């Protein structure tokens, strides 16, 4: 090889390394504040991501944001975490997305791991009142921010009448069946199916009109959805790799089920249990708490008072609710010493996040391939409208959370924020 070719190869290598460094720096500068300011749970996370990456950075459009949010809400695992992970993946690739996920999740997980290792035996009633007051105040402020994000998305994605109807139906069902969290994928399918039927109905009407007017049986071309320049997105891996990831996830899930029932090694039981839980959670953060209670407290791995302490803390913290797994893992392994407690936190944290991120990474190239089809564009209009309905549902659910402070300043039972709109305003 000539000296000139070697120099060109070195230049290309240097450019690639500089580009990777710039991507990681861009991800770091945009993601590092988020785990410290994202109070209010998943609805607030969605509003923060929308404001940061759509309104300010313009990394993606409202339409694409709604699509990846709809997919995240339809898959197992933490929906808001998958949303943030996907934004970084589309922007800078898989490695940068993993880096973004670590920035987003590790600070809270580390704090909860240490909490489970040191103070796991205390009760939630020992928390000072000011912590609960702060939590309620943050929830009040979050309602307005989430409502603003829902309003902005609705204005941009629910322009057509049938899209508004889909969003309204999903919202009505969402607030009526709040406890049935696995319905989220059903809402997405419903929105897409309704949009598909509307598209077919328009085609049939067009065909009949043409036949009556000039004997032409071909339908006029229905106006296709525009994707605001998003069609050029690409990934650093192929659809085949996506299929391999999905098959690997299924294989690991079956392996986790087998290990959970047969292994006597506590670390393997912990890993298999949390991987299984992360694979079957539909509905995100609100579902993870009762499910973890079933698989951690009910078998006797931890006592309920320590579990409730962690629950009180996670509700007062920013970041993903799935970080609660780190607290539970530390709690389970606490009798075996501090080092094993931290190891348990890492195992549980990795186990619960891994399935959702694997599935999302596998699904994305398939979504990229099929979303460009004209028919799929129509279907995604309905899916996006359903996603808007879910954001409004999240606004309503967050508004129910509390102001749990009585007029005399003492703690009381939660009441609807809607009854005291001054706190939301």
């Amino acid at each position: 090889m000539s000296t000139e070719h070697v120099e060109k190869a070195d230049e290309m290598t240097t450019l690639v390394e500089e580009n990777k460094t710039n991507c990681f720096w861009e991800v770091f500068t945009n993601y590092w504040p988020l785990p410290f300011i994202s109070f209010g749970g998943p609805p607030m996370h969605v509003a923060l991501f929308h404001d940061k990456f759509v309104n300010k950075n313009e990394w993606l459009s409202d339409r694409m944001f709604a699509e990846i949010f709809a997919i995240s809400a339809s898959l197992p695992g933490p929906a808001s975490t998958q949303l943030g992970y996907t934004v970084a993946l589309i922007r800078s690739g898989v490695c940068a997305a993993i880096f973004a996920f670590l920035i987003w999740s590790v600070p809270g997980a580390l704090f909860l791991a240490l909490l489970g290792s040191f103070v796991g035996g205390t009760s939630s009633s020992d928390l000072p009142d000011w912590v609960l007051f702060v939590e309620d105040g943050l929830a009040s402020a979050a309602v307005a921010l989430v409502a603003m994000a829902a309003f902005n998305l609705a204005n941009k994605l629910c322009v057509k009448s049938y899209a508004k109807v889909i969003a309204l139906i999903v919202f009505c069902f969402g607030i009526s069946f709040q406890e049935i969290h696995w319905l989220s994928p059903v809402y997405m399918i419903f929105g897409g199916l309704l949009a598909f039927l509307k598209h077919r109905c328009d085609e049939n009407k067009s065909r009949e009109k043409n036949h009556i007017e000039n004997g032409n049986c071909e339908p006029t071309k229905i106006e296709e959805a525009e994707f605001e320049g998003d069609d050029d997105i690409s990934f650093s891996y192929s659809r085949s790799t996506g299929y391999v990831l999905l098959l690997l996830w299924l294989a690991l899930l079956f392996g986790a089920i087998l290990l959970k029932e047969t292994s006597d090694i506590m670390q393997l039981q912990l890993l298999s249990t949390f991987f299984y839980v992360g694979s079957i959670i539909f509905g995100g953060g609100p579902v993870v708490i009762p499910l973890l209670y079933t698989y951690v407290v009910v078998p006797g791995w931890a006592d309920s008072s320590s579990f409730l302490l962690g629950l009180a803390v996670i509700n007062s913290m920013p970041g993903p609710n799935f970080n609660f797994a780190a607290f539970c893992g530390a709690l389970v392994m606490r009798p075996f010493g501090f080092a094993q407690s931290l190891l348990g936190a890492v195992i549980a944290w990795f186990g619960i996040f891994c399935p959702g991120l694997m599935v999302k990474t596998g699904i994305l190239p398939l979504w990229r391939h099929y979303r460009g089809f004209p028919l799929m564009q129509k279907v995604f209009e309905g899916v996006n409208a359903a996603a808007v309905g879910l954001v409004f549902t999240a606004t309503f659910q967050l508004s129910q959370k509390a102001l749990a402070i009585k007029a005399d300043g003492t703690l009381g039972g939660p009441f609807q924020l809607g009854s005291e709109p001054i706190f939301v305003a």
Side-chain angles (χ1 to χ4, degrees):
M1 184 179 292
S2 66
T3 305
E4 183 179 351
H5 288 164
V6 172
E7 290 177 353
K8 287 183 178 180
D10 290 341
E11 289 178 2
M12 290 296 296
T13 303
T14 303
L15 287 174
V16 170
E17 290 177 353
E18 288 179 355
N19 186 48
K20 287 183 178 179
T21 302
N22 291 336
C23 288
F24 278 89
W25 178 249
E26 181 183 53
V27 166
F28 175 76
T29 54
N30 282 282
Y31 275 82
W32 77 264
L34 299 180
F36 305 102
I37 62 174
S38 53
F39 294 93
M44 183 59 180
H45 303 163
V46 175
L48 272 177
F49 291 150
H50 182 268
D51 181 62
K52 179 74 173 177
F53 301 118
V54 177
N55 294 338
K56 294 180 180 177
N57 292 4
E58 297 183 350
W59 284 6
L60 63 169
S61 67
D62 285 285
R63 190 182 300 276
M64 179 177 285
F65 183 87
E67 284 184 33
I68 62 176
F69 169 67
I71 296 171
S72 300
S74 303
L75 297 178
S80 60
T81 297
Q82 290 183 21
L83 181 62
Y85 170 84
T86 306
V87 170
L89 193 151
I90 291 174
R91 178 69 176 179
S92 304
V94 177
C95 293
I98 295 173
F99 182 54
F101 160 71
L102 293 175
I103 295 173
W104 166 248
S105 178
V106 166
L110 180 61
F111 174 80
L112 288 167
L114 293 174
L115 182 70
S117 300
F118 283 115
V119 295
T122 58
S123 169
S124 59
S125 60
D126 295 333
L127 287 176
D129 288 348
W130 68 266
V131 173
L132 302 178
F133 291 158
V134 168
E135 178 192 353
D136 292 325
L138 291 170
S140 307
V143 175
L145 294 175
V146 177
M148 186 182 302
F151 178 77
N152 291 335
L153 281 174
N155 280 339
K156 295 176 180 178
L157 300 178
C158 295
V159 178
K160 299 179 181 178
S161 298
Y162 77 89
K164 295 176 182 177
V165 171
I166 291 174
L168 180 60
I169 292 174
V170 170
F171 171 70
C172 292
F173 274 87
I175 63 175
S176 300
F177 301 98
Q178 297 182 51
E179 303 301 321
I180 310 178
H181 301 285
W182 55 263
L183 282 176
S184 293
V186 178
Y187 296 144
M188 301 304 166
I189 295 172
F190 165 77
L193 181 61
L194 210 60
F196 170 78
L197 295 176
K198 177 66 168 59
H199 176 65
R200 288 302 187 200
C201 184
D202 289 344
E203 280 191 338
N204 291 335
K205 288 181 179 179
S206 173
R207 185 181 291 111
E208 292 174 1
K209 181 179 179 181
N210 281 349
H211 182 67
I212 292 173
E213 291 180 351
N214 49 31
N216 183 13
C217 293
E218 291 297 321
T220 55
K221 187 176 181 181
I222 305 297
E223 182 183 355
E224 295 180 1
E226 296 179 1
F227 273 87
E228 303 177 13
D230 290 329
D231 300 277
D232 296 332
I233 63 168
S234 60
F235 298 105
S236 57
Y237 59 99
S238 64
R239 274 185 294 153
S240 299
T241 305
Y243 284 121
V244 170
L245 280 172
L246 294 176
L247 290 174
L248 178 61
W249 165 68
L250 285 175
L252 290 175
L253 176 58
F254 284 116
I257 294 172
L258 185 63
L259 274 177
K260 191 165 70 74
E261 300 298 330
T262 59
S263 178
D264 294 328
I265 302 174
M266 192 61 195
Q267 289 85 346
L268 289 180
Q269 285 191 17
L270 191 66
L271 177 61
S272 59
T273 296
F274 278 82
F275 190 93
Y276 173 75
V277 170
S279 298
I280 64 171
I281 289 182
F282 288 91
V287 190
V288 70
I289 303 302
L291 205 57
L292 287 180
Y293 186 90
T294 301
Y295 285 97
V296 173
V297 177
V298 173
W301 285 359
D303 61 275
S304 59
S305 62
S306 298
F307 184 90
L308 292 175
L309 168 69
L311 177 59
V313 172
I314 191 65
N315 283 331
S316 305
M317 285 182 59
N321 289 346
F322 275 57
N323 277 341
F324 188 57
F327 176 84
C328 293
L331 210 59
V332 170
M333 299 299 293
R334 190 165 174 254
F336 302 99
F338 179 72
Q340 286 295 319
S341 182
L342 290 182
L343 177 61
V346 173
I347 290 173
W349 174 82
F350 174 82
I352 204 165
F353 278 107
C354 183
L357 297 183
M358 284 183 68
V359 173
K360 188 62 181 287
T361 307
I363 287 290
L364 283 175
L366 309 182
W367 161 73
R368 165 66 183 88
H369 176 71
Y370 291 109
R371 75 185 290 267
F373 293 6
L375 179 59
M376 290 305 298
Q377 293 179 6
K378 289 296 179 182
V379 170
F380 269 114
E381 284 185 358
V383 173
N384 292 344
V388 171
L390 283 183
V391 177
F392 275 105
T393 302
T395 306
F396 176 83
Q397 290 173 337
L398 192 59
S399 72
Q400 307 303 298
K401 184 171 182 178
L403 276 173
I405 305 174
K406 294 181 179 179
D408 59 1
T410 61
L411 289 176
F415 60 85
Q416 297 179 6
L417 285 175
S419 64
E420 299 289 343
I422 186 64
F423 291 105
V424 181

